[in-house]
Amino acid sequence: MRAPIGNFEHAMPAPDCLDVLAPPVADAVRHWSGSVPADRIVYVDTEPEWADTAVFVEHYGRELLGCSANCVVVAGKRGGETMPAACLVLSTTRADVNGLVRRHLGARKASFAPMEAATEETGMEYGGITPIGLPGAWPLLVDAAVVDLPYVLVGSGRRRGKLLVPGKAFAELGNAVVIESLGV
């Protein structure tokens, strides 16, 4: 199979390779519903040491930078309570954690979640966290620019491999909220 974006040697529909995805991601793909068929989510095999965006595009093609997105885990705090959430923004931007994210969560303070908490609570590897398979109760804040792309490159839940997902699929994930200018 040829990947819809990029030039990857190994690409296959995600439902055909559940064993290489992180368990919560595999479970989400297995139970996929929505207007985008699950077989349009494509897994591409990539080297784990090249998982971080800047290194990734150097090895797999700079043209991928414009269609790559990062999923970051944040923690909003108010009155001693912590509210986890995830943000999906284009990799050329940063999530507006102290502005839009904080206000959307109704938090006094918002910050990136510690790496250990993010990986433990998602069941995913750091550097591979993806919006597909996040805990169901978490809000998923998605930048509108991500939704507008035909395909978006995101993590697979592991540092090895990436997912290519039609942008509009992210707007249909449970607890997803599409926000204009979430990435600054």
Side-chain angles (χ1 to χ4, degrees):
M1 156 179 221
R2 180 153 170 74
I5 58 174
N7 188 20
F8 298 96
E9 286 185 38
H10 304 285
M12 63 188 83
D16 295 346
C17 58
L18 298 176
D19 58 318
V20 299
L21 303 174
V25 180
D27 192 51
V29 170
R30 187 179 296 110
H31 298 101
W32 188 260
S33 63
S35 66
V36 174
D39 63 1
R40 293 212 33 227
I41 301 169
V42 177
Y43 173 82
V44 293
D45 188 36
T46 60
E47 295 298 326
E49 63 269 17
W50 300 337
D52 297 322
T53 305
V55 176
F56 187 88
V57 298
E58 285 302 318
H59 289 279
Y60 292 103
R62 297 205 59 64
E63 71 281 0
L64 294 169
L65 188 59
C67 55
S68 297
N70 292 326
C71 183
V72 295
V73 177
V74 297
K77 295 179 182 176
R78 182 176 193 90
E81 236 182 274
T82 300
M83 302 155 284
C87 301
L88 185 65
V89 297
L90 293 176
S91 59
T92 55
T93 66
R94 294 178 162 230
D96 184 7
V97 175
N98 292 311
L100 286 173
V101 174
R102 181 185 58 74
R103 285 191 298 275
H104 183 82
L105 296 176
R108 281 195 115 166
K109 179 181 178 185
S111 58
F112 294 105
M115 178 176 60
E116 187 176 298
T119 56
E120 186 177 310
E121 293 178 33
T122 63
M124 300 180 203
E125 294 176 6
Y126 190 75
I129 294 175
T130 187
I132 297 173
L134 287 171
W138 285 16
L140 170 61
L141 311 180
V142 182
D143 190 309
V146 172
V147 175
D148 291 342
L149 290 173
Y151 268 90
V152 181
L153 178 96
V154 294
S156 67
R158 294 204 161 125
R159 287 186 66 84
R160 168 166 227 107
K162 297 284 187 183
L163 295 176
L164 307 177
V165 183
K168 68 180 183 178
F170 295 115
E172 297 178 1
L173 291 174
N175 295 330
V177 178
V178 178
I179 300 175
E180 290 290 333
S181 303
L182 177 64
V184 292

